[in-house]
Amino acid sequence: MAAAGIITEYNPLHMGHVHLMAEARRLLGPETGILCVMSGHYVQRGDFAVAGKFARAAAAVRSGADLVLELPVPWALSSAEGFAAGAVEILKATGVVTHLVFGSEGGDAAPLVRCAEALCSPAFSQRLREELKRGDSFPAARQRALETLLPPADAGALARPNDTLGVEYCKALRGGGIQPAAVLRRGAGHNCEAAGGGFVSASAIRARLRRGDGEEALSLMAPAMAEGYRAERAAGRAPASLSNCERAVLARLRFLEEADWAALDLGNEGLYRRFARFAGSAATLAELLEAVKTKRYPLARLRRMVFRAYLGLPPAPPERPAYLRVLAANRRGTALLAGMRTAAALPVLTKPAAVRRLPEEAQRLFALEARASRLYALACPDPAAVPDERRTGPVIVREEG
């Protein structure tokens, strides 16, 4: 069975996400399987997911997906490049995915492929080094460097958030057999907290949850997500929020020495010194981030550094994930799994206990994921209500009738 891959967070799942799955089948055929790679309990902007990964994965399967695999936390809390690279490695490793479908402001994959090729060229590396000497942020320097190599219409992709991520997908796909397929995004933009025409963004829904407009937020989710979120909220597992465990995070950060921060500063730009200087006295994370930030460092990068420090993650993710972990599936998803049993390049993990039979690398990754889940529980209203990662299997969705 051919499958379309979708890389996502579903934080939370809304009708724009459902539309993308429907468009994948419209483009590739109604019998196409939809295989999602989804962040677990943590998301790429540097935050807790508002609801747990199993609830979000089950909602995805009830809304059009067939199989949801987890993007492990070292990649989920990486830069856009690391996030894309890890997720694409999972799609490649399944052996069944033929296309990667993603939302795009332009709706055309061709200019994104041209951007990806230019970004991977030796000429770009030289131009980027020259631009970074001017002291601007990395995104601004990268944009200007790319504009020296491509027409403005192509280089402009890096100024649009979904197209920027699409370029990273295309970079990760180079030399592989999976084809990119861009779908025109409708509605509010990525990370836009205002409602736009068409579909409302996940950021806008999260903003309503933070304001206490719970029922309005639920009305903007996909129906299966709203139902799942209500159940998680009733059980004390949602919403997960930094406000529930901010002092736990600060306590961990105060424990770190300058050398610990230095290990997390992959750019070797001296950012670690600012964290080491202010983390020992900041009373809130907002205060810490305000003290550390400069125009050179995007806030999301600083937040990711905080969360990587909190979780004790290595400074960079491994070269690729060590297994394919199933979070949820339906009947067609189990058929995809059957194909993966022979086609997959990595072990397929459906039962947590089976990790004991996997190589040491896989066992270490799963242990890290379990530790991250225990810390995620502290962000939930009732930490005791969050199930043990080591004893939680995938959600199998049975079709009605």
Side-chain angles (χ1 to χ4, degrees):
M1 182 189 301
I6 294 177
I7 299 170
T8 189
E9 293 184 321
Y10 294 152
N11 186 39
L13 181 79
H14 57 69
M15 293 309 297
H17 297 131
V18 177
H19 170 74
L20 181 62
M21 290 188 272
E23 283 294 285
R25 288 200 172 96
R26 185 185 68 80
L27 291 171
L28 303 175
E31 297 305 313
T32 300
I34 303 296
L35 191 158
C36 297
V37 177
M38 189 191 79
S39 299
H41 288 321
Y42 298 85
V43 292
Q44 196 264 339
R45 64 186 295 269
D47 206 350
F48 301 101
V50 295
K53 55 190 174 186
F54 292 102
R56 291 171 16 251
V61 170
R62 293 187 173 101
S63 301
D66 298 305
L67 178 63
V68 181
L69 304 179
E70 180 174 25
L71 178 63
V73 66
W75 291 271
L77 279 172
S78 290
S79 64
E81 183 177 29
F83 176 92
V88 167
E89 281 297 321
I90 289 176
L91 292 178
K92 289 179 180 177
T94 65
V96 299
V97 172
T98 58
H99 292 76
L100 169 55
V101 182
F102 55 89
S104 159
E105 289 91 351
D108 182 6
L112 308 186
V113 171
R114 292 192 289 269
C115 280
E117 293 294 336
L119 290 170
C120 294
S121 69
F124 172 77
S125 298
Q126 177 61 34
R127 303 289 173 84
L128 179 61
R129 284 194 293 270
E130 294 169 357
E131 293 295 340
L132 284 171
K133 292 177 183 177
R134 297 170 60 173
D136 286 342
S137 69
F138 178 82
R142 184 174 67 162
Q143 178 73 47
R144 286 197 305 270
L146 189 62
E147 288 170 353
T148 68
L149 301 175
L150 291 176
D154 286 356
L158 292 189
R160 301 184 293 266
N162 287 278
D163 280 350
T164 297
L165 193 52
V167 169
E168 295 298 340
Y169 293 154
C170 292
K171 283 171 57 181
L173 289 172
R174 293 170 73 243
I178 299 176
Q179 299 300 311
V183 171
L184 185 66
R185 183 182 174 94
R186 290 168 49 188
H190 179 71
N191 278 342
C192 175
E193 294 196 358
F199 304 122
V200 175
S201 71
S203 297
I205 297 173
R206 292 195 303 271
R208 286 162 171 78
L209 289 174
R210 287 194 298 271
R211 292 196 303 264
D213 301 331
E215 290 308 309
E216 182 182 1
L218 285 164
S219 72
L220 299 172
M221 298 178 192
M225 184 74 254
E227 180 182 353
Y229 184 88
R230 286 190 180 95
E232 291 294 286
R233 185 175 61 185
R237 293 189 291 267
S241 171
L242 180 60
S243 62
N244 290 332
C245 65
E246 185 172 25
R247 289 198 172 186
V249 176
L250 289 169
R252 168 63 179 162
L253 301 188
R254 289 191 176 200
F255 184 76
L256 299 180
E257 303 288 346
E258 185 172 297
D260 301 314
W261 288 109
L264 295 168
D265 188 5
L266 294 178
N268 296 316
E269 298 167 335
L271 177 59
Y272 71 92
R273 293 191 180 94
R274 299 181 66 82
F275 270 109
R277 176 183 175 188
F278 296 111
S281 59
T284 67
L285 279 177
E287 179 184 324
L288 173 61
L289 294 173
E290 181 64 28
V292 171
K293 76 174 184 179
T294 71
K295 68 175 183 178
R296 184 169 183 142
Y297 306 118
L299 182 60
R301 177 180 172 182
L302 304 183
R303 291 177 61 91
R304 284 193 298 272
M305 200 161 167
V306 164
F307 270 79
R308 294 183 76 86
Y310 174 55
L311 299 178
L313 296 181
E319 184 176 349
R320 67 172 185 169
Y323 50 71
L324 306 175
R325 188 183 184 192
V326 181
L327 297 180
N330 60 12
R331 178 182 53 81
R332 185 154 44 185
T334 57
L336 285 172
L337 282 172
M340 288 166 55
R341 295 292 182 188
T342 55
L346 290 172
V348 179
L349 187 62
T350 54
K351 296 179 180 179
V355 77
R356 294 194 296 266
R357 298 193 293 272
L358 298 184
E360 184 178 345
E361 177 189 9
Q363 295 185 43
R364 286 197 303 268
L365 178 60
F366 189 83
L368 176 63
E369 199 73 49
R371 183 171 73 239
S373 290
R374 290 194 295 272
L375 293 175
Y376 174 82
L378 297 178
C380 298
D382 180 5
V386 177
D388 189 326
E389 182 87 6
R390 298 164 297 179
R391 296 178 177 83
T392 306
V395 179
I396 304 301
V397 176
R398 311 292 181 186
E399 289 86 349
E400 296 181 359

